[in-house]
Amino acid sequence: MNHLTIELNNEIPPNLEELKKSASRTSNWRERLEAVEALGQYNDQQTINILTRMMSGDAVYPIQEAAYRKLRAFGEDVQLPPRKKGDLIKGAGKVFVRIKKSLPEGHTFEEFKEKLQKTRSDVYDTYEGDKGSDFDQWLETTWASLLKK
């Protein structure tokens, strides 16, 4: 087994309240991921509680994985939850259909993507964070399938 020494702080982060807000910001997965990284520097019960909530409840799987890794580094006995199947946000499929129907006949994928980002940044952000570099291809495939309905 490889023993990696990690320098951890056993204090409460000085910016804990700010990190709590960042950890809960549903329309910014990057900010939540940064919060996981910052919280992972402090082995404190409050940070463990926040990371545990993020590991088990964040809609973006890479954030769940990052929180899991931080908790394991703290020595916590946690299990990574399985990746969600289907809608990451309840009713997301209906959101996609509503946005498609709100656009004029013959609209482009870029118009759909832009309207989704403007009107439902939480949905856009969650799927962008979860899909990573495959996001545009996934969203375009989803959009194309909506046009057939």
Side-chain angles (χ1 to χ4, degrees):
M1 184 171 180
N2 185 357
H3 292 283
L4 181 67
T5 306
I6 298 174
E7 197 72 30
L8 294 176
N9 213 329
N10 287 329
E11 302 169 8
I12 296 173
N15 58 342
L16 181 63
E17 290 308 311
E18 183 182 316
L19 289 171
K20 280 183 187 178
K21 287 177 186 172
S22 292
S24 299
R25 193 145 290 129
T26 58
S27 62
N28 193 333
W29 68 269
R30 288 173 184 86
E31 190 173 336
R32 292 197 314 278
L33 188 57
E34 288 172 11
V36 168
E37 294 302 322
L39 290 164
Q41 303 305 309
Y42 296 90
N43 188 356
D44 168 76
Q45 191 56 53
Q46 289 186 69
T47 60
I48 290 170
N49 292 346
I50 296 167
L51 289 169
T52 301
R53 177 186 56 78
M54 294 178 83
M55 179 192 74
S56 59
D58 201 284
V60 175
Y61 199 68
I63 291 173
Q64 289 182 309
E65 291 174 317
Y68 167 78
R69 285 191 302 275
K70 294 298 183 185
L71 289 164
R72 293 296 294 192
F74 289 164
E76 294 294 308
D77 183 20
V78 292
Q79 297 296 315
L80 182 63
R83 187 181 273 272
K84 274 186 184 178
K85 304 264 190 253
D87 287 351
L88 300 178
I89 293 180
K90 188 176 180 183
K94 291 179 182 178
V95 168
F96 298 138
V97 169
R98 272 197 301 277
I99 289 173
K100 177 220 164 235
K101 286 182 176 180
S102 74
L103 291 165
E105 187 80 27
H107 66 271
T108 66
F109 165 67
E110 288 302 323
E111 290 169 322
F112 173 81
K113 181 180 173 183
E114 186 177 311
K115 181 143 189 189
L116 174 63
Q117 190 173 17
K118 284 182 179 176
T119 59
R120 287 300 303 268
S121 61
D122 59 330
V123 173
Y124 183 96
D125 188 79
T126 297
Y127 281 93
E128 180 190 38
D130 194 71
K131 302 294 181 191
S133 61
D134 296 332
F135 173 68
D136 280 346
Q137 183 179 350
W138 171 84
L139 187 60
E140 189 162 6
T141 301
T142 301
W143 168 76
S145 72
L146 294 173
L147 296 176
K148 296 171 187 164
K149 293 178 182 174

